[in-house]
Every structure is written in structure tokens, then in C-alpha cells.
């Protein structure tokens, strides 16, 4: 695993790779066309964004070390689009990160942009909610081996789905009075779910098999053979929901998180937050004459969405035979003790690189809910992120614009247990500038929202990096909490949770020249300003390709300023 | 009126101007911000595009000769936008015509584009249907006089409104099976209408007054004083509907069409097609103790939308007093004899410039409904218009791209009374290139659609020009029909109708260097490809401003090719 820092172009649901050893490195070409399609992900037909006419998008599967080339054509009639390749570090190619206003201009209708990369969802406006996502799986390179054995595998891509369009959702969030998006109409497994629910109806009717003829919303069936070990590659691209997954009668062994191996541990159920990926192993050692439920429920918010169900089918039982026992029940939505018990068990596998012992800089980020002129926002150290029309990568690399510095911390006497005394905040688009190769600690500090006794879970996702999760705590972070940091086996991740009223500390090495977003992965929260921008080693970024720079305004500035 | 050719920056619902005489020419500055808003145009709340938080957009009022400067900021979260200044010739400023892919790149989110001009609606995708429109009124210049007298005036902006989003409408039109947008939920007068209908309910209940508390959908009341003459400035920006307007108990005197004076004539009701503007005079000589209905009904399609009603209020009667007589009834939707009787009465006022006696070139345009790979399209000489990502104006001015020539006519034996024998067509983005100052005749030939016994009305709108309407006829245009052309007093217009199974001939002088669209003003038809592109005197276009050129791909090409 010491070789992982050599890696680039990689990381999805897995794994180790070694550029020097893997001789069969390939370039894999894909053509993606994004367009609206009619689809019935929960048996109700709506319009959504599809890729090549399908939802979810195609699964890209490649070997570690392979180069992925995706020609993305925007066939939406009037909207721009980008795709972020979640979990990919983009070392040496920061312009391919797929973040509008950060790494590139949005791709205009009828235009094509060429990306090179992995694990993807849309990162412009709230297009992830509109269905713009799929899976990417990176296999170990030839000659490498996984540190665990399995006989077969299945992909489990989790998402949440609203009947209201994302345009309407975005408008509601930006209105006075504020209109929250509400709970999703359905949780989808591999893009399929049931609304008002055909499958549940069968359950309560006591029938022993189901029939849903519409393939777009038919229950997902994962077929297994008895007495084998299966790997489930689980990823969540939910817009809002924190989820809990359980498989009836089966234990889960967690072996990987966000593309990094973890010390294996067993659980009955597991939480999955938006932006996370996991691999779990299950052993098919139960009564082989039965099928079993896989159930997905909502955590962290009072659920109003029925649990999603898939079927674990023991071959040769009928695919449509309903399990004889009830689906596993999701823990109480606000049982955070349960959530923390799971989350804190995630530790790096032996052999994972450990963090540098000291950091060069600590940034404290207070996550607060605020208002600007009556509009409800989220902000970080009292600045709500507002992305500029000119993408940062080009504007910083070529000094097209002066960009300010945001605050590094917050008032020492801020009471995180209470609503903000002064609820007002300001918009900002400044950037944390980081010296190349510095070691950076970030403490994410959760607080009480605008209403009393409310504090939410926020899964924060960092682009361009994995980071070490050094510690968590309840209440306010204190200076001497650094002494409790886990420097021995902290997990390497790209998404990390802050629990209600708690803090989370991470560490990373700024060794990837580029401009990177770090933000809450809940789309409405990001839309409301919950994120920051980091720029590191900008002077070391090699020539940014024209196609990543030349949107309207940038194009004009560049013709004046760009060094030839 | 001989001075009209000196004009530029002008034309809306009126009129003559003289740059030399009008000393008080002003520059009028406006700031428009386009964003989604919640609005209830027919008492049902929906999201729509607003300008500065309102629907319809502001009315711009200026004197002939004034320069209008509009800073248009796009505050849509992910969609591009442009605004077309309908009726403005844009002489010398073809880049300000507001047509995406033709005169400019779409303005990206968070960007601002500066226009100079009049009478506006959106011209990108189907954004007009989303509510992006308002009125522009151009008064005669100081020292000029209108050729008719009136005591007061009112603005009557007509539109149609759907509850389904334009995104969903566009998807339906581009799907297999084809999903037609259907009839509108409401006809709006000055942006206000009633769906399922509060006002109609009052009518049938026999009450004598109404009460609608929501201002966004309250009936429009036009207040007048008895025994005066009023000018109504009528314009239609409908997406689909052809309309008929009548005022209970009052005659209408038509005095202007598309910004040009016409020989006054009297009617009881008048048709108004999408893209047309008219001025009519009414004399308030009826029983002054009563109010009267203004009613708007649908023509040319089997109506499923209730007629729109406004109240002509004789001062000092109560504004909310319902008229005592029934609203005027719209003529039968398919009474084309009635429509033609009205339309053919429109002739130029004495003094209007007459056309050159001969043309240099005749282009025949066969309007057919067709299919491409099973998708239903409209096409012209068997080519369905597909706009390219690089706007024509820049790509032709700077020769960035080779652009082909489309067909000038169609098979002589084509039977316009029957469905096409071969229904298949092709996409095209070629351009009719026209020599500067040539006189061009265009014959628009209507046909039977894909189904038997169906032929629709199409109002064709030309950008950058007024044209003379030389003649109309039923059935197929024959060469000797040119002998019947009206060269004496043909009306000058920018929008003209072809009736079912008929033809219409127009003439214009190619004296406006630029690239101009000529298309059916029905938005779904344009979306389905019903239009052509004309380029004239491209070599004479002065330096195109960067901001009109620099969208993604153009930007890249320009940095290579643009002359400095």
C-alpha cells in the first residue's frame, strides 16, 4: 500500500495499483451523451437526465492504472452540464475534476468536453438530483491481489429521488419564504425503487411472490450461490438522505471505505452517507431454500420515505420469490449512538500510509445556518459560498482576477449548542490558498441550526485528495483535543461526517496542484453555500487546456492575458 | 415615411422616426435580471422565468431614435439565456439580435450581456413559453406626429400558458413516441389569466361583480372615459395559439401592424398570430353606465382553453362591475374564410415605401411535416433546422467553419394537398447566403401534414427586416402567380401567415449585413426545425464584439483565427 501515492487517474470502489508493475495499462474510451429522458425510476414516469438514453449512467469498469477517456456531449437543450468523477484525485489533471466554476466552465448545449477518469456524478447546480450519476469500478492492476477473498460481487448504487424537478427545488431553496425540498419520494437501488409501493403492497397482502412488469422500477435482485462469499460495492449519491443498509439474516463485513482498505469488522447494519463508498463481504451461509431482504432506510432525518428493498436471491430459488421473514428494520432515525458506534469502527487497514506527525496549518471551519437578506443559507466561518462565473482554476493560474482570503477560524466564545446570536451572514467566493506540500489540518465544527435544538449530519467531501480522519468529538473542539488525534491507523477517506453538535478533524498533504472544492455532499446544503474552495500549488499547474478555460468571460480575459 | 430606411435601433408597436429631426435622442439604460420566480399567472402557482422578479418583464418605452441599453444578467442556476428584441432591425448591430447559435452565444449563468434595443422575448430553446417576455413601445420622435388621433392608450400583451415546464415540453417534442405540448391551460392578457376559472364562474352564477384577490391573476381592467378614442397596442407572444380579439359592442379600427401604419379599416373582431403586433382604435361611444368585455379566443386549432377576458371599464363605473352582456364569441376555430377576410384587408398606408419592381432571386420554401429516425420534425425543402453550437455570426464573419447551401426550391410535382409520399427528412444547419442589397422574394408554400386532411397555420417571422407581403393564394404557388403580386400597397411586416394548403409571397431588400433567422413563430414548430437562416453582406459586418463571440468553442477557434 506504500505505493498508493504513485497512483493517479484512479480510485473508485477499490483499490491498490502500481503503475510500474501493471504492464497492461489501457486507455478506455467512452462516449457519454447527456439528455433528458422519460424514465420511471419508482414506477412513476418523470423526466430526468440520462446518459446515452439510460438511467443510471453506464458503469465504467477499468483496471488500476488505466486511463479513462470520456467524451461528454451535452444534449440538454438549454442547460450547461459537467460531470465530477467522485473519488478520483486528478493528480496532474485538475481541469478534469468536473466542477463548474471551479475546474472548468460548464459545457454548453451541443458541445463536447473530453474528460479522463472515474466514479462520476454531476456537479453543476443540483443535477445530481436530476439523475446524472453512475458507477465506476476500478479493479486491482494485473499482478496485484485484494487483501480479502470473494467468489462474486454485486454493485449497489444508492440514491434518493424527488418527483419535483431540480429547477423547482433550486427555486424553492432560493426563495422567501424558504421552501425546503422535503423528503424524497423514493430511495433507489441501482436506479430502481417503488413509490406508493407496489412491492410493499405484496408484503402486506401476504403473497409469496411479486410481479412488476416495468423493468425501470422492478426490484433489484442480487443473485448468489449458497456457501460463497460475495462482495457488495456500495456507493451513495443521494442528494439529501443518510441511509442505513442491512441484509436479513446476514452479517456484513466492512473491508473498504472510499476506495481504501479498512481493518475488517462485522456489523448487522451499516450507515452510508452521501458521497461515501464501501465494500462489504457477505457469506451466503443461511437457509438456501429462501430469499432474503436487503433493506435501505433513512437516518438522521425523520423519514417520510418508505424503505427501499432489494432481494438477495439464493440460486436456484425463483427470482421473484419473496423472503419469508420481514425486512430488517432501520435503526431509529436519531439514534446517533448507533451511528457513531458504526462510524468510529472504521480504521485503516495495516499497511495504509500514516499521516505526517505534525501539520503546518490548522483551519477551523464553523458550519452554521444563517440568513442573507432573509434568504436561508449555510455558511462556513460566516461566509456562504457563491461560485463566480469565471472558473477558479483558470482565473488563478493566469491571475485573471484578484481573489481574497476567507477566515481561518471563528470566534472563540461561539456557543455551538445554541442558534447563532447574529443569524446574518455574507456571500463570498474567496479561496484558501495552500502552499504546495504543506500538511493541513481541518477541523469541521458542527453547531445548532437557526431553530433551537436542531443540528444535522453533514458529510463533507474533498476533491483532489484522500485525507486521514484523525478524530471526532461531541460539542466544541478544544485545543487539547489534538492530543487525542489518531495518528496510528486513521482511515483514509474522501468524505467524512460531522455528527450533530460535534466536530471532526482531518489531515491531508497538499501535494496535488489544483483548485479543489471541499463541501457538504448534501446537494441542497451545497446549493445554500455550504462549502469552501482550496487552491494548492497553483503556480505548479501545467498549461490548462483551452477547452477547460474558454467560457464566455474567461475567453475574453484570456485573449488579453494568457501567456503564450 | 420615406425616411424610415434611415431608421435603426427602432420599431415596436409604432412608428415613424427621423434621426435628423429628433434632437432629443436619449440613451435609456435598463438592468434586467432573469431568474426563476414563483408566480400565479392563471391563479395556479408555478415556477416561471421572470425579469427583475416580475412577470411579464418590464415595459420599455422610448422615443423613436433613442438608444436602448439593456444589461441582461442571467441568474438562472444552470441554463443559458438570450433575449430577442422582436421587431428591431438591428441595422449595424446584428450581434444584438438575441438569437442563440445565430447572433451570439447563449449567456451563461451568472454572466451579463449588454444589448442595445426593443420589443423583446426569449429566443433560446423554448424560453418564451417559460414566461420570458415583455413589451416595448416606441413613441414617435419629438416633432413627429402619428397619422391618427387618440385620447389615451392601453397595452394588451397576449400569451398562452402551460402548467407543464418547458423542459418537459421540449423533451416530449423530441421523444418517440412524440408527445405534443397540447393546448395551453390559459390565455394570458398582460400576463394574467384564469385557469378553471374563477371569473367564468361568476359569469354563470349571474353575479354582477367579481372578486379575485390575487393580483397576479386578477382580470385586466382597461379604464376609459366615455366618448373618447383609445389606442390599444396589441401584441402576441404566444408559444402556440393563434388568437381572435373582440370588444363587446365596439368596432375596432386597425391602424398599424408590426410597427408600420396600415390603411385604416374597421372590423368587429381581429385575428392576432404569434409574433404579430397591431394598433387598433376604439371609440368609447357606447352606453357609459356599463362595462364591456374584451375577449380573446383561440383560432386555427380546436380550442380546449377557455377564452380570456378583460374588462373595458367606462369611468366612473366600478372596476369590478361585470358587463351586462355576454362576452363576444370567437369565430369557429376553422373558419379560415373569416381569417382571410380580415388578413387580406391589411394594406400599407399611403406613403409607405413600395417594393422594388423586380427581385434578383426567388427562394421557394416548402413547409412540410416529416420524420427523422422516427422523430417528428418540421422541415423546409426537406431540411429540418438544427442550430450549431458556434453562432453563425462569428463563424461566418471570421470564416471559422465551412457552411453549406440549402435547397432553393422543391420538386415541381410535389402534391401539397396530400401527406408526403416519402415522410423522411434530414437535419441541416446550412445558410442561404445573400448578396448585399439584392432584392429577394420568398414564397412560403404550405402543405398537408403527416396525417391526411391536416394543414396548419404558420406565422413566419423574419429577423433584421421588414418585408413586403406581396400576395397569398390557396393551393400551390404557380409561376404566373407573380403577375398577381401587389406591388402598389403591400403591407410592410416582420411576421406573415401561411394559411392551410396555401402560399404567401414576400419581398425584402438585403440591406442589413448580418445573419438572420426566418422561422415559424410557433415555438414547438421552431423547436422541431421549422426555420431557415439567411446571411447577407457578411463581409460588411463591422468587428463583432468579443462578448458576442466568445463562447466555449468559438473562443478556442477565435484565438487561432481571428484577425487582430
Amino acid at each position: 500500500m506504500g505505493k498508493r501515492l504513485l497512483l493517479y487517474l484512479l480510485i473508485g470502489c477499490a483499490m491498490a495499483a502500481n503503475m510500474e508493475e501493471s504492464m497492461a495499462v489501457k486507455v478506455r474510451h467512452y462516449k457519454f451523451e447527456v439528455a433528458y429522458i422519460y424514465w420511471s425510476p419508482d414506477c412513476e414516469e418523470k423526466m430526468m437526465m440520462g446518459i446515452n438514453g439510460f438511467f443510471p449512467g453506464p458503469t465504467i469498469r477499468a483496471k488500476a492504472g488505466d486511463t479513462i477517456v470520456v467524451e461528454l456531449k451535452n444534449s440538454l437543450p438549454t442547460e450547461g452540464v459537467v460531470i465530477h468523477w467522485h473519488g478520483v484525485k486528478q493528480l496532474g489533471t485538475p481541469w478534469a475534476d468536473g466542477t463548474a466554476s471551479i475546474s472548468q466552465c460548464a459545457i454548453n448545449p451541443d458541445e463536447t468536453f473530453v474528460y479522463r477518469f472515474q466514479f462520476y456524478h454531476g456537479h453543476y447546480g443540483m443535477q445530481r438530483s436530476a439523475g446524472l450519476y453512475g458507477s465506476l469500478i476500478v479493479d486491482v492492476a494485473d499482478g496485484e491481489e485484494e487483501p480479502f477473498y470473494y467468489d462474486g460481487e454485486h454493485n449497489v448504487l444508492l440514491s434518493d429521488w424527488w418527483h419535483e424537478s431540480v429547477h423547482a427545488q433550486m427555486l424553492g431553496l432560493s426563495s422567501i419564504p424558504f421552501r425546503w425540498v422535503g423528503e424524497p419520494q423514493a430511495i433507489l437501488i441501482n436506479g430502481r425503487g417503488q413509490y406508493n409501493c407496489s412491492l410493499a403492497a405484496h408484503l402486506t397482502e401476504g403473497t409469496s411472490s411479486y410481479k412488476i412488469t416495468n423493468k425501470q422500477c422492478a426490484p433489484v435482485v442480487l443473485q448468489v450461490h449458497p456457501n460463497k462469499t460475495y462482495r457488495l460495492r456500495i456507493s451513495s449519491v443521494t442528494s439529501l438522505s443518510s441511509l442505513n443498509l442491512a441484509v436479513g439474516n446476514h452479517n456484513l463485513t466492512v473491508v473498504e471505505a472510499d476506495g481504501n482498505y479498512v481493518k475488517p469488522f462485522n456489523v448487522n447494519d451499516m450507515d452510508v452517507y452521501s458521497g461515501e463508498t464501501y465494500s462489504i463481504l457477505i457469506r451466503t451461509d443461511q437457509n438456501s431454500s429462501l430469499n432474503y431482504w436487503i433493506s435501505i432506510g433513512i437516518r438522521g432525518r425523520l423519514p417520510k420515505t418508505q424503505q427501499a428493498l432489494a432481494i438477495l436471491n439464493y440460486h436456484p430459488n425463483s427470482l421473484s420469490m419473496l423472503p419469508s421473514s420481514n425486512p430488517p428494520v432501520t435503526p431509529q432515525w436519531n439514534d446517533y449512538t448507533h451511528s457513531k458506534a458504526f462510524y468510529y469502527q472504521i480504521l485503516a487497514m495495516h499497511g495504509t500510509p500514516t499521516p505526517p506527525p505534525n501539520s503546518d496549518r490548522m483551519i477551523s471551519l464553523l458550519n452554521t445556518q444563517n440568513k442573507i437578506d432573509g434568504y436561508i443559507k449555510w455558511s462556513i466561518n460566516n461566509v456562504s459560498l457563491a461560485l463566480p462565473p469565471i472558473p477558479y482554476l483558470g482565473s488563478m493560474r493566469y491571475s485573471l482576477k484578484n481573489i481574497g482570503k476567507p477566515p481561518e477560524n471563528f470566534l472563540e466564545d461561539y456557543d455551538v449548542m445554541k442558534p447563532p446570536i447574529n443569524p446574518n451572514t455574507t456571500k463570498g467566493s474567496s479561496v484558501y490558498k495552500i502552499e504546495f506540500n504543506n500538511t493541513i489540518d481541518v477541523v469541521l465544527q458542527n453547531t445548532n441550526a437557526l431553530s433551537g435544538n436542531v443540528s444535522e449530519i453533514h458529510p463533507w467531501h474533498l476533491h483532489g485528495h484522500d485525507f486521514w480522519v484523525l478524530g471526532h468529538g461531541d460539542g466544541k473542539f478544544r485545543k487539547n483535543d489534538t492530543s487525542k488525534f489518531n495518528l496510528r491507523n486513521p482511515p483514509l477517506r474522501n468524505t467524512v461526517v460531522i455528527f450533530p453538535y460535534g466536530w471532526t478533524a482531518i489531515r491531508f498533504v497538499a501535494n496535488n496542484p489544483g483548485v479543489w472544492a471541499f463541501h457538504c455532499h448534501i446537494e441542497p446544503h451545497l446549493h445554500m453555500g455550504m462549502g469552501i474552495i482550496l487552491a494548492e500549488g497553483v503556480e505548479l499547474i501545467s498549461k490548462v487546456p483551452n477547452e477547460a478555460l474558454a467560457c464566455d468571460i474567461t475567453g475574453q480575459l484570456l485573449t488579453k492575458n494568457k501567456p503564450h
Side-chain angles (χ1 to χ4, degrees), chain A:
Chain A
M1 293 295 280
K3 291 166 192 157
R4 296 206 77 241
L5 293 177
L6 290 176
L7 256 192
Y8 67 109
L9 297 190
L10 294 187
I11 297 314
C13 291
M15 311 331 29
N18 185 325
M19 294 288 284
E20 294 154 78
E21 286 171 22
S22 104
M23 303 303 290
V25 169
K26 278 195 188 158
V27 178
R28 296 179 192 264
H29 279 274
Y30 295 85
K31 288 196 179 193
F32 280 18
E33 183 176 8
V34 176
Y36 281 114
I37 55 173
Y38 289 111
W39 205 261
S40 305
D42 62 358
C43 300
E44 297 260 317
E45 191 189 69
K46 296 286 169 187
M47 69 184 285
M48 45 192 318
M49 286 186 190
I51 298 177
N52 299 343
F54 288 90
F55 166 79
T59 294
I60 293 183
R61 185 150 198 156
K63 281 211 169 63
D66 290 353
T67 296
I68 306 291
V69 179
V70 182
E71 285 180 43
L72 179 67
K73 179 171 183 199
N74 179 3
S75 289
L76 303 170
T78 58
E79 290 166 89
V81 78
V82 296
I83 290 186
H84 168 59
W85 313 89
H86 187 107
V88 175
K89 294 200 193 68
Q90 302 287 1
L91 197 62
T93 54
W95 46 80
D97 195 37
T99 47
S101 285
I102 302 170
S103 65
Q104 70 171 120
C105 304
I107 306 161
N108 280 332
D110 235 16
E111 296 191 348
T112 297
F113 185 88
V114 181
Y115 287 105
R116 301 178 172 257
F117 283 88
Q118 295 108 354
F119 188 60
Y120 52 104
H121 61 236
H123 217 271
Y124 184 42
M126 285 174 54
Q127 292 174 340
R128 179 155 43 101
S129 303
L132 196 59
Y133 46 80
S135 301
L136 182 127
I137 297 171
V138 186
D139 292 312
V140 292
D142 292 339
E144 297 265 335
E145 262 187 28
E146 305 272 12
F148 42 82
Y149 175 81
Y150 51 99
D151 299 289
E153 63 173 71
H154 287 290
N155 201 27
V156 179
L157 174 63
L158 305 174
S159 56
D160 43 9
W161 175 243
W162 279 256
H163 288 173
E164 192 173 51
S165 77
V166 288
H167 302 95
Q169 291 180 42
M170 286 191 280
L171 175 60
L173 296 172
S174 306
S175 290
I176 297 175
F178 181 75
R179 306 191 192 187
W180 178 241
V181 299
E183 295 302 309
Q185 272 64 61
I187 302 293
L188 308 181
I189 304 173
N190 293 343
R192 287 141 63 180
Q194 295 84 33
Y195 171 68
N196 256 350
C197 171
S198 2
L199 195 60
H202 287 288
L203 291 182
T204 52
E205 284 164 12
T207 52
S208 63
S209 71
Y210 70 89
K211 193 169 185 196
I212 293 181
T213 50
N214 187 340
K215 282 184 185 173
Q216 294 176 1
C217 61
V220 170
V221 178
L222 306 183
Q223 197 173 40
V224 293
H225 289 253
N227 294 309
K228 302 277 182 189
T229 299
Y230 287 87
R231 176 183 191 161
L232 304 187
R233 297 176 187 270
I234 297 160
S235 53
S236 171
V237 292
T238 54
S239 174
L240 172 64
S241 312
S242 301
L243 301 174
N244 182 273
L245 176 147
V247 182
N249 293 46
H250 292 73
N251 278 328
L252 319 175
T253 306
V254 181
V255 293
E256 173 257 324
D258 294 358
N260 296 290
Y261 299 129
V262 300
K263 201 172 146 184
F265 62 101
N266 296 326
V267 286
N268 290 318
D269 63 86
M270 63 184 294
D271 290 339
V272 187
Y273 301 99
S274 179
E276 290 188 329
T277 67
Y278 287 101
S279 290
I280 59 173
L281 303 179
I282 58 170
R283 181 77 196 161
T284 52
D285 54 6
Q286 297 300 304
N287 181 343
S288 68
S289 68
L290 301 176
N291 286 344
Y292 298 88
W293 288 115
I294 298 169
S295 79
I296 316 283
I298 286 185
R299 306 284 283 125
R301 311 182 64 84
L302 183 64
K304 293 176 183 164
T305 312
Q306 92 195 353
Q307 67 183 356
L309 296 174
I311 292 173
L312 186 73
N313 163 251
Y314 271 54
H315 186 77
N317 299 334
S318 159
L319 295 171
S320 63
M321 179 176 78
L322 290 177
S324 55
S325 47
N326 285 331
V329 174
T330 309
Q332 275 294 310
W333 69 272
N334 56 359
D335 181 355
Y336 296 114
T337 308
H338 188 92
S339 293
K340 290 173 189 172
F342 168 73
Y343 202 71
Y344 296 167
Q345 283 185 78
I346 304 165
L347 295 168
M349 197 191 184
H350 184 71
T352 303
T354 52
N358 297 298
S359 75
D360 298 302
R361 179 172 165 191
M362 175 177 278
I363 300 172
S364 299
L365 302 177
L366 184 75
N367 291 229
T368 56
Q369 199 177 39
N370 309 76
K371 288 193 176 189
I372 296 177
D373 302 332
Y375 293 94
I376 299 181
K377 299 287 177 188
W378 286 98
S379 49
I380 304 307
N381 294 347
N382 216 34
V383 178
S384 185
L385 181 64
L387 294 172
I390 310 182
Y392 288 110
L393 188 69
S395 67
M396 296 188 78
R397 175 66 183 84
Y398 299 114
S399 305
L400 301 180
K401 232 184 128 181
N402 286 325
I403 290 173
K405 290 180 187 180
E408 298 265 312
N409 43 44
F410 53 93
L411 287 179
E412 251 182 64
D413 61 351
Y414 189 94
D415 186 347
V416 302
M417 304 306 287
K418 295 200 177 135
I421 294 171
N422 169 15
N424 294 320
T425 187
T426 52
K427 276 190 206 175
S429 52
S430 50
V431 172
Y432 293 88
K433 288 165 199 152
I434 295 175
E435 216 169 304
F436 184 64
N437 267 336
N438 262 9
T439 299
I440 306 296
D441 283 358
V442 180
V443 175
L444 293 160
Q445 177 67 58
N446 211 341
T447 60
N448 194 99
L450 281 166
S451 309
N453 299 313
V454 175
S455 184
E456 297 180 38
I457 289 176
H458 302 286
W460 276 71
H461 172 60
L462 177 60
H463 292 224
H465 290 279
D466 283 344
F467 49 73
W468 292 277
V469 182
L470 301 185
H472 303 270
D474 296 330
K476 198 163 167 180
F477 179 80
R478 303 286 165 194
K479 275 181 189 161
N480 62 6
D481 285 327
T482 56
S483 65
K484 292 180 264 173
F485 281 176
N486 173 14
L487 301 178
R488 199 173 60 84
N489 60 355
L492 265 176
R493 308 205 61 165
N494 59 51
T495 303
V496 73
V497 161
I498 45 174
F499 287 108
Y501 299 109
W503 58 264
T504 291
I506 65 163
R507 179 170 292 179
F508 68 94
V509 178
N511 54 8
N512 188 3
V515 182
W516 309 108
F518 185 34
H519 61 90
C520 179
H521 206 261
I522 293 176
E523 283 215 322
H525 290 182
L526 175 57
H527 183 82
M528 292 160 73
M530 198 172 206
I532 63 163
I533 307 296
L534 302 163
E536 65 197 57
V538 169
E539 66 287 355
L540 301 175
I541 297 168
S542 61
K543 190 178 173 300
V544 181
N546 271 346
E547 62 270 25
L549 285 174
C551 47
D552 308 19
I553 297 177
T554 334
Q556 295 169 53
L557 292 173
L558 281 175
T559 47
K560 288 185 207 162
N561 298 335
K562 193 176 175 182
H564 291 284

